[in-house]
Amino acid sequence: MGNKVKIAKSTYCGRFAPSPTGPLHFGSLVAAVGSYLDAKFNDGQWVVRIEDLDWQREIKGAASHILHILEALGMEWDGQIIYQSQRLAHYQAALDELNQRDLIYSCVCSRKEIADSSIVGINGSIYPGTCSRAPIFTKDVRALRVRTHHGPIVFEDFLRGLCTQNLKQEIGDFILRRADGIYAYQLAVVVDDAQQGITHVVRGADLLDSTPRQIFLQQLLGYDIPHYMHLPVVINAAGEKLSKQTRAPAIELSYALTYLVQAIRFLGQNPPVEIAQGDIASFWRWAKKNWRIQQIPRDPTQGINSCA
Ligand code: GLU
């Protein structure tokens, strides 16, 4: 990532993977800018993927709005945009492979049953494994869960250091395909990161908790494990993460440069006044050359607490 020693050309591929659940807001802009600058500083590729699997949460027009804003902000992606909704066969193939190796099982438990019989972890109820012990055969559509184990998942986050999680204990057997048939984010993101050749995942620290689940699936599926860097998360005055749910305002293109300058300042970068008051092209020229990950603030309040 953006250290003094640059990574050799062509070994770096980063990505921005928004869910089209609303317009692009400042919180997602920070993730987009951080992943873009880290890729460009390292002479890498940067791809954009629209994570539109959950049609119930999708807002019509949001994907094209996000792409339009990125383009207008001068953020150039490499290759074709991919849409997860068009890649279902790839997720099913990964599930089939796990199924052949008896690594997944179907689950008929309702939310209420799970809530009644489990303890609550960092990510909601920890599934007690009821259906893995006594398989129930029914024609109903069922959720599919992956069998986790007690071995710790350990990874190095570029900002947070060594992070550890025991999936069985802290998360439980997690869902790869929901009972409504929708493939889970954890599965789709792993398949896509591998198939797109992503080497560096730079995203918000709200996803730090998900990384051990993703590394676990990468291990099961024999994929390469990318490098990870989780950026500090933007919060509003009430201390909530900026998101559609917390009514984060959309980026307005009339203030494009101001937003970009605020985004890199949030990431600890210090553009000189003439850059902050100049134009978008000079902004990017400066930012791509002067990206310093050492200056990004580390926010230990976000994500799993077992990071060094
Ligand atoms: N689609 C996710 C989101 O918009 C991001 C996924 C990722 O970066 O891994 O929050």
Side-chain angles (χ1 to χ4, degrees), residues 15 17-19 51 185 189 203 207:
R15 60 24 162 218
S19 306
E51 301 206 325
Y185 155 69
V189 77
R203 59 185 177 191
L207 290 164

Side-chain angles (χ1 to χ4, degrees), residues 5-262:
V5 182
K6 289 194 180 188
I7 295 160
K9 203 175 175 87
S10 87
T11 59
Y12 188 120
C13 185
R15 60 24 162 218
F16 176 53
S19 306
T21 51
L24 192 81
H25 54 74
F26 185 66
S28 355
L29 179 67
V30 166
V33 166
S35 62
Y36 181 67
L37 282 178
D38 204 57
K40 293 302 149 190
F41 178 85
N42 288 298
D43 299 326
Q45 305 264 302
W46 185 71
V47 300
V48 175
R49 172 168 78 229
I50 301 293
E51 301 206 325
D52 57 351
L53 280 182
D54 191 344
W55 54 270
Q56 290 156 355
R57 291 182 58 226
E58 184 169 348
I59 301 286
K60 215 171 170 313
S64 48
H65 165 87
I66 293 169
L67 296 174
H68 169 67
I69 299 279
L70 293 178
E71 222 171 347
L73 292 175
M75 301 175 74
E76 294 160 357
W77 56 83
D78 294 289
Q80 292 284 318
I81 306 274
I82 73 163
Y83 291 79
Q84 290 191 323
S85 56
Q86 294 168 13
R87 294 179 43 79
L88 306 187
H90 297 277
Y91 313 136
Q92 187 55 47
L95 275 185
D96 290 344
E97 189 188 329
L98 296 173
N99 190 33
Q100 271 163 21
R101 291 155 56 201
D102 193 30
L103 293 167
I104 56 176
Y105 60 91
S106 50
C107 173
V108 292
C109 297
S110 66
R111 276 172 198 224
K112 177 157 186 346
E113 283 164 340
I114 297 172
D116 289 348
S117 62
S118 59
I119 55 166
V120 176
I122 45 168
N123 223 253
S125 298
I126 299 175
Y127 184 63
T130 324
C131 289
S132 76
R133 290 187 294 272
I136 297 166
F137 298 100
T138 130
K139 285 210 182 75
D140 296 344
V141 181
R142 290 152 283 177
L144 293 175
R145 292 183 182 271
V146 63
R147 298 181 200 282
T148 54
H149 58 62
H150 279 285
I153 304 287
V154 182
F155 67 99
E156 172 94 28
D157 180 90
F158 272 74
L159 292 182
R160 304 285 293 273
L162 220 52
C163 303
T164 310
Q165 195 178 59
N166 181 317
L167 282 181
K168 189 77 166 180
Q169 230 167 41
E170 295 176 59
I171 300 288
D173 295 353
F174 54 96
I175 289 183
L176 298 188
R177 202 187 66 203
R178 299 179 351 196
D180 60 8
I182 293 182
Y183 294 96
Y185 155 69
Q186 307 292 357
L187 175 71
V189 77
V190 160
V191 170
D192 290 343
D193 282 344
Q195 293 185 0
Q196 289 192 287
I198 303 301
T199 58
H200 290 71
V201 172
V202 177
R203 59 185 177 191
D206 52 317
L207 290 164
L208 190 60
D209 283 347
S210 289
T211 302
R213 267 170 279 180
Q214 294 171 16
I215 291 177
F216 174 65
L217 292 177
Q218 287 153 1
Q219 290 169 342
L220 291 185
L221 291 162
Y223 296 159
D224 288 341
I225 295 173
H227 299 283
Y228 286 96
M229 176 158 76
H230 290 88
L231 303 171
V233 168
V234 185
I235 51 171
N236 62 20
E240 303 157 328
K241 179 192 155 217
L242 290 197
S243 68
K244 191 182 133 258
Q245 287 75 20
T246 59
R247 297 180 193 284
I251 299 289
E252 283 174 50
L253 284 178
S254 36
Y255 301 105
L257 183 64
T258 310
Y259 277 115
L260 290 172
V261 169
Q262 281 177 359

